């Protein structure tokens, strides 16, 4: 039976949009060199005007972060820094509805996800790192690890507030100050976070936010006043940044792209696995670095899994991201929609067989129906390149060894999933899969205490957990490490 759902839109009234936003430097919103507009990808309406930071604005932000580092933050005892992080975490919780609605308006992701995943996890990252701030001497990096200094952080558009939290919370807990550049298409929750820093009475200059495009990011990572660069984004830009930072003495961590295998064995409970497959690739419209974009199904259950998957995909509701019933929201930008469409056309041209869920697409905005490709070979572009959209490529295997070989046949190595009832097989697979995270009988689970990061072209360094602290600490001077 198919249920019809009445619309259940979340109110936009909780969000007060300003017409225009400045840069957040030295604890205040200040004007910059030029402006650009940020739009809603679901309706293409202009949401606000945002300032584009040029090199001189980046200069001011770095100087402000340096001053705050030297005068206040690095000298402050960890237990005091921890109080600020707790306060920020509580304010994120208090303003969670506002943050969730704004994230959905600017990014296009379903409110169900921003409300239940992005915002609670962002608060959890601040709570978790608040706890570390006065215990760094017990983290396993010697008795007195030092902060690095001023950190330049560049983040993508797929989880704007959450990626900010992954970067800002550990940096601050470890005693660093930051200059953060959000993605061009999703600057608004970072700017609301700046208001939260003001509300928390965070000392001016500890967090600076410079909005802009790739050129702003380039100016930030190349700035000589930066001690460490933390980047999350595409492998292509990550390589460029690695080159820019080479022999500069800057510390660098890179969280890059992925092409994860989600491996389903013939003893897996099919309904549960199908939920995991759907969550693995259609969560956040597939704009997920660790998305399970390559499904590997054991040949003996291929027909059964595919039939159940198509049935389930037919029930996904695509549309207004602010509607609480929506499963699949808008694609973040026209450029991303074009990239997805181009790769999907290549899949068809190379001979794979395409099936898209029969859901009507809204007239305005950027949309792509959940899509699955079968008859995919490992050589096809859709099996090798990151699509970063709601598109799944299905391959088959016969033995566990073949599954491992196919799963590892990628330049990436961010995540993987294994579905089977056998615990021993899970451990056997996990020890052979070249991926930073391996989920067993689940997918896309995140926790601030669990380190996340890649192998190979998915980058290096970890975010989250005790391991993630190392990225923001100078442990070299510690004799007892
Ligand atoms: P990118 O195009 O690489 O952009 C990421 C950020 O870098 C944006 O803020 C971008 O600014 C900025 N940027 C662009 N060119 C730059 C340059 N030359 N120097 C410095 N900064 C520059 O990636 P994206 O399309 O926003 O994000 C999608 C990618 O991020 C995917 O590959 C995805 O896998 C990856 N990702 C990885 C992870 C982890 S944890 N590994 C998590 C999320 C996403 P503009 O937006 O203004 O261009």
């Amino acid at each position: 039976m198919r249920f019809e759902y009445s619309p259940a839109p979340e109110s936009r009234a909780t969000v007060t949009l300003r017409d225009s936003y400045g840069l957040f430097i030295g604890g205040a919103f200040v004007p910059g060199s030029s402006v650009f507009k940020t739009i809603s990808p679901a309706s293409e309406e202009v949401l606000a005007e945002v300032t584009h930071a040029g090199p001189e604005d980046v200069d001011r932000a770095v100087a402000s972060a340096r001053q705050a580092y030297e005068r206040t933050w690095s000298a402050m005892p960890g237990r005091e820094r921890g109080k600020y992080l707790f306060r920020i975490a509580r304010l994120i919780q208090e303003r969670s509805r506002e943050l969730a609605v704004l994230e959905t308006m600017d990014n296009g992701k379903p409110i169900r996800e921003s409300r239940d995943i992005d915002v609670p996890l962002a608060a959890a990252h601040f709570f978790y790192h608040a706890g570390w701030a006065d215990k760094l001497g017990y983290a396993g990096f010697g008795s007195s690890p030092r902060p690095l200094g001023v950190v330049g952080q560049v983040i993508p558009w797929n989880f704007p507030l959450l990626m900010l939290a992954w970067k800002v919370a550990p940096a601050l807990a470890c005693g660093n100050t930051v200059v953060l550049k959000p993605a061009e298409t999703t600057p608004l929750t970072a700017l609301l976070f700046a208001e939260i820093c003001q509300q928390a009475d965070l000392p001016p200059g500890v967090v600076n936010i410079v909005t802009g495009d790739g050129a702003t990011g380039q100016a930030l990572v190349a700035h000589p006043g930066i001690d460490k660069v933390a980047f999350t984004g595409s492998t292509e830009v990550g390589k460029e940044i690695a080159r820019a930072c080479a022999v500069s003495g800057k510390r660098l961590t890179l969280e890059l792209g992925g092409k994860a295998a989600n491996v389903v064995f013939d003893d897996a409970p099919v309904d549960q696995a199908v939920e995991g497959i759907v969550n693995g690739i259609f969560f956040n419209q597939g704009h997920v670095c660790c998305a399970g974009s390559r499904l590997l199904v054991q040949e003996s259950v291929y027909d059964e899994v595919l039939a159940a998957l198509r049935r389930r995909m037919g029930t996904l509701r695509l549309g207004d991201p602010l509607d609480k019933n929506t499963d699949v929201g808008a694609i973040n930008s026209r450029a991303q929609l074009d990239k997805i469409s181009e790769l999907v056309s290549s899949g068809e041209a190379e001979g794979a067989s395409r099936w898209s869920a029969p859901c009507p697409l809204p007239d305005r905005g950027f949309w792509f129906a959940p899509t699955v490709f079968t008859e995919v070979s490992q050589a096809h572009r859709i099996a090798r390149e990151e699509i970063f959209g709601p598109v799944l490529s299905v391959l088959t295997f016969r033995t566990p060894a073949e599954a491992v070989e196919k799963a590892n046949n990628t330049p990436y190595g961010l995540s993987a999933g294994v579905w089977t009832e056998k615990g021993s097989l899970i451990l056997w697979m996990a020890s052979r899969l070249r991926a930073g995270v391996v989920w067993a009988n689940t997918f896309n689970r995140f926790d601030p205490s669990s380190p996340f990061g890649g192998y190979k072209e998915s980058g290096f360094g970890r975010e989250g957990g005790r391991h993630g602290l190392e990225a923001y600490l100078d442990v070299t001077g510690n004799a007892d490490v």
Side-chain angles (χ1 to χ4, degrees):
M1 188 197 307
R2 191 176 168 87
F3 291 98
E4 289 307 326
Y5 288 74
S6 300
E10 179 64 81
S11 167
R12 287 170 59 148
T14 44
V15 170
T16 311
L17 276 175
R18 299 187 207 170
D19 291 340
S20 170
Y21 289 84
L23 307 169
F24 186 63
I25 298 178
F29 286 94
V30 298
S33 11
S34 56
V35 292
F36 63 98
K37 291 182 170 48
T38 183
I39 63 166
S40 152
S43 63
E44 297 174 63
E45 83 178 274
V46 173
L47 296 174
E49 198 173 78
V50 179
T51 302
H52 179 277
E56 62 290 355
D57 301 316
V58 171
D59 238 10
R60 278 194 292 156
V62 173
S64 146
R66 175 65 58 195
Q67 198 176 59
Y69 177 74
E70 283 169 4
R71 294 204 188 151
T72 333
W73 200 246
S74 64
M76 191 182 281
R79 65 176 182 282
E80 295 304 317
R81 290 200 308 271
K83 287 180 195 168
Y84 283 104
L85 276 103
F86 269 119
R87 212 178 286 168
I88 290 172
R90 293 285 293 127
L91 286 165
I92 291 176
Q93 285 187 321
E94 276 170 27
R95 301 182 69 170
S96 59
R97 184 176 290 229
E98 188 185 353
L99 283 162
V101 171
L102 186 59
E103 193 75 300
T104 285
M105 285 165 68
D106 205 18
N107 170 282
K109 64 175 67 201
I111 186 73
R112 205 164 49 79
E113 294 178 5
S114 47
R115 182 195 63 198
D116 298 346
I117 297 166
D118 296 54
V119 178
L121 268 176
H125 271 266
F126 278 95
F127 277 122
Y128 176 76
H129 287 96
W132 270 119
D134 62 349
K135 302 176 194 68
L136 298 172
Y138 306 98
F141 308 116
S143 57
S144 55
R146 300 267 315 137
L148 294 169
V150 176
V151 184
Q153 307 185 315
V154 181
I155 55 172
W157 45 260
N158 57 344
F159 293 93
L161 182 71
L162 186 57
M163 289 299 107
L164 174 151
W166 279 28
K167 297 247 176 304
V168 174
L172 264 46
C174 293
N176 306 278
T177 57
V178 309
V179 180
L180 176 122
K181 193 206 88 72
E184 185 182 359
T185 57
T186 53
L188 294 183
T189 46
L191 293 164
L192 185 50
F193 178 79
E195 281 180 24
I196 287 176
C197 292
Q198 288 179 322
Q199 214 181 336
D201 272 335
L202 191 71
V206 171
V207 168
N208 303 274
I209 293 174
V210 288
T211 42
D213 60 7
T216 308
Q218 225 169 357
L220 179 59
V221 302
H223 198 286
I226 295 282
D227 299 296
K228 185 219 155 75
V229 172
F231 172 77
T232 297
S234 60
T235 295
E236 190 190 348
V237 174
K239 285 180 179 174
E240 205 178 300
I241 291 176
R243 280 192 291 272
C245 291
V247 302
S248 68
K250 289 175 193 160
R251 287 268 299 270
L252 175 65
T253 40
L254 296 174
E255 298 280 0
L256 308 176
K259 190 74 188 174
N262 203 358
V263 185
V264 178
F265 284 97
D266 59 5
D267 63 342
V270 170
D271 288 345
Q272 199 181 323
V274 164
E275 286 308 308
I277 295 164
V278 166
N279 174 37
I281 186 64
F282 303 125
F283 166 59
N284 201 28
Q285 294 73 246
H287 301 328
V288 182
C289 50
C290 51
S293 51
R294 284 184 302 146
L295 176 65
L296 301 185
V297 188
Q298 198 153 21
E299 220 170 76
S300 47
V301 288
Y302 174 81
D303 290 337
E304 186 187 353
V305 169
L306 257 288
L309 177 61
R310 287 200 182 114
R311 255 195 323 273
R312 179 69 180 90
M313 283 171 65
T315 68
L316 292 174
R317 289 181 298 273
L318 177 148
D320 178 9
L322 278 171
D323 191 322
K324 287 169 243 170
N325 295 320
T326 293
D327 298 309
V328 181
I331 299 302
N332 181 253
S333 63
R334 182 173 299 283
Q336 187 59 27
L337 181 58
D338 290 346
K339 182 184 160 195
I340 297 168
S341 307
E342 193 270 319
L343 272 158
V344 164
S345 304
S346 86
E348 289 173 315
E350 288 184 325
S353 167
R354 170 186 176 173
W355 183 84
S356 292
C359 48
L361 304 183
D363 299 332
R364 304 276 322 260
F366 316 127
W367 306 93
F368 203 91
T371 294
V372 58
F373 272 105
T374 50
E375 291 159 61
V376 178
S377 97
Q378 292 189 85
H380 288 163
R381 282 181 67 201
I382 53 167
R384 291 185 288 117
E385 296 180 29
E386 187 183 41
I387 300 175
F388 222 58
V391 181
L392 179 68
S393 299
V394 187
L395 299 116
T396 58
F397 66 92
R398 290 184 180 169
T399 64
E402 187 186 347
V404 169
E405 196 172 314
K406 285 186 168 165
N408 287 340
N409 185 16
T410 166
Y412 297 109
L414 198 52
S415 67
V418 180
W419 296 83
T420 169
E421 280 195 341
K422 290 191 197 72
S424 57
L425 183 55
I426 290 170
L427 296 174
W428 189 90
M429 290 290 291
S431 64
R432 285 163 179 78
L433 290 168
R434 297 282 293 159
V437 179
V438 179
W439 285 292
N441 294 324
T442 187
F443 210 93
N444 275 341
R445 291 270 175 168
F446 307 98
D447 189 282
S449 63
S450 178
F452 186 93
Y455 279 89
K456 302 191 282 185
E457 292 201 11
S458 292
F460 49 80
R462 293 292 177 265
E463 291 191 308
R466 187 186 69 79
H467 304 77
L469 297 172
E470 193 176 358
Y472 290 100
L473 290 171
D474 178 4
V475 296
T476 51
N478 280 322
D480 52 343
V481 173

